[in-house]
Each structure stands twice: as structure tokens, then as C-alpha cells.
């Protein structure tokens, strides 16, 4: 009996200590687990005025919003009239090879287009990837994420463009990419701009008398 008590005592002491300590705390959430835009951004707020949400057969999420919510004043332009026949009537639907008029059944349309939203609403596709609002020092990427500006910025004399999701590095000024052709200043890259130090008194890389006349000793015509 004494031997049994000696055997049970350590077990009781261990159980008491475990109960007093309580369960181990859960592991902290992985950085970005609750914020897929971390560390350079925050999730964009959900779209407003959504009255219904549907899913297409391929898994695309569609939000349905009131048609008048597309403009600030709620006024929507009237669509133009469709093509009319000789007497002002709409043309009949195309005929099938056997001569009967072909028509898509509502069921077939629903299979291809997915369920429709309420009357008076229009569909808006929801992006498949998280959309982020970037914090200062970060720039938007094509997939909606935010990358550090230092890793995606263009240096002096380099081109930057919103289409390429690039911006000028800190300390540089975006100026037009221009060159003189037959005595006239011509824009060479309408959809981009040049990153330069225009305004520092030195005619630097990419600067000329067209895009930075103050530094390059010229006056733009």
C-alpha cells in the first residue's frame, strides 16, 4: 500500500502543476495572415451598395449594385436604340438551318452566365486577388499588392510609368521625355515620364533644353 502511494504522489503533483499552469498559449498569427496586404498596405474596404452576390460557373464572384449607384448624381445615360428594320421594327432573331427562329432558353443562359441579380442592378466582377490600399513608401503592383517603392522605383535618367507600376525614386522629379526634332520639341514617350534631378542647376541624365530648360540653358518653344 505504501509503495502504491509513493507511485501515485508524483503523478498527482504533476497533474496539479499542469492544471495550475493552464493550456499553452496559441501561437501568434503569422505576419500577414489576417492582412494579405501586409506589410505595405491594408485591405481595400468592400464595395458599397452591394445588394446581391452571385458566383459564375467558373467560380468568379459577381457583386450586383443598383444601376444608379454608378454615378455620383444617380443619373444614367439612356442607351441608344438598337438597329431597326425597314419599318422601324427591331430585326427578328437569326433563323436556324431548318428555318425556325433560334432562341436561347433562360436555362441555357443561366448555365453560361450564372444566376442573375435583382432587377435594376448591374454586375461588377470582384477581383480574384486581394485589393490593397498602399501605405506611404509603397507602390501598387499589377496583382493589387504593394511593393516597397525602393525596390520598384526608377533611378535618374530612367523611365517610369503607371502602366509598368513604377515610380521615380525619392529625390527625383518626373519630367516629360522629350527630344528636339527638326528644331521642335517632341514628346518621345507619351505614356511614361523621365526621372531626373531637374531644378538642381545641372543638366543631368535625360534632361535637355526641352524638358528642363532651366538646367540645360534653353527655352522650350
Amino acid at each position: 500500500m505504501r509503495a502504491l502511494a509513493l507511485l501515485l504522489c508524483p503523478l498527482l503533483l504533476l497533474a496539479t502543476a499542469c492544471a495550475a499552469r493552464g493550456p499553452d498559449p496559441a501561437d501568434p498569427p503569422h505576419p500577414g495572415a489576417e492582412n494579405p496586404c501586409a506589410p505595405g498596405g491594408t485591405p481595400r474596404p468592400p464595395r458599397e451598395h452591394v445588394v446581391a452576390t452571385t458566383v459564375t460557373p467558373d467560380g468568379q464572384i459577381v457583386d450586383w449594385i443598383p444601376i444608379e449607384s454608378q454615378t455620383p448624381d444617380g443619373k444614367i445615360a439612356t442607351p441608344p436604340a438598337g438597329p431597326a428594320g425597314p419599318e422601324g421594327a427591331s430585326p427578328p432573331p437569326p433563323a436556324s438551318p431548318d428555318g425556325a427562329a433560334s432562341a436561347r432558353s433562360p436555362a441555357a443562359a443561366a448555365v453560361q452566365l450564372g444566376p442573375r441579380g435583382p432587377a435594376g442592378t448591374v454586375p461588377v466582377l470582384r477581383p480574384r486577388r486581394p485589393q490593397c490600399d498602399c501605405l506611404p513608401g509603397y507602390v501598387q503592383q499589377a496583382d493589387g499588392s504593394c511593393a516597397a517603392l525602393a525596390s520598384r522605383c526608377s533611378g535618374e535618367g530612367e523611365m517610369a510609368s503607371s502602366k509598368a507600376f513604377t515610380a521615380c525614386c525619392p529625390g527625383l522629379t518626373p519630367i516629360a521625355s522629350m527630344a528636339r526634332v527638326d528644331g521642335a520639341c517632341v514628346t518621345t514617350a507619351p505614356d511614361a515620364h523621365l526621372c531626373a534631378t531637374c531644378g538642381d542647376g545641372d543638366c543631368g541624365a535625360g534632361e535637355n533644353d526641352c524638358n528642363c530648360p532651366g538646367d540645360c540653358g534653353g527655352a522650350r518653344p
Side-chain angles (χ1 to χ4, degrees), residues 53-62 111-115 125-128:
T53 300
T54 59
V55 181
T56 65
D58 64 349
Q60 176 69 59
I61 299 177
V62 181
V111 169
Q112 296 184 13
L113 302 178
L125 292 178
R126 187 183 299 182
R128 294 182 182 271

Side-chain angles (χ1 to χ4, degrees), residues 130-217:
Q131 297 298 295
C132 307
D133 289 329
C134 297
L135 301 174
Y138 291 83
V139 64
Q140 199 92 37
Q141 299 299 287
D143 60 359
S145 63
C146 300
L149 178 60
S151 66
R152 295 291 298 170
C153 66
S154 300
E156 183 178 4
E158 297 178 349
M159 303 296 295
S161 169
S162 58
K163 290 185 176 181
F165 297 93
T166 54
C168 293
C169 291
L172 298 179
T173 303
I175 61 175
S177 177
M178 305 185 74
R180 191 172 289 277
V181 179
D182 295 332
C185 291
V186 178
T187 301
T188 57
D191 298 329
H193 52 261
L194 185 74
C195 299
T197 56
C198 184
D200 64 350
D202 182 22
C203 192
E207 301 175 15
N208 52 50
D209 62 329
C210 289
N211 56 18
C212 190
D215 288 358
C216 299

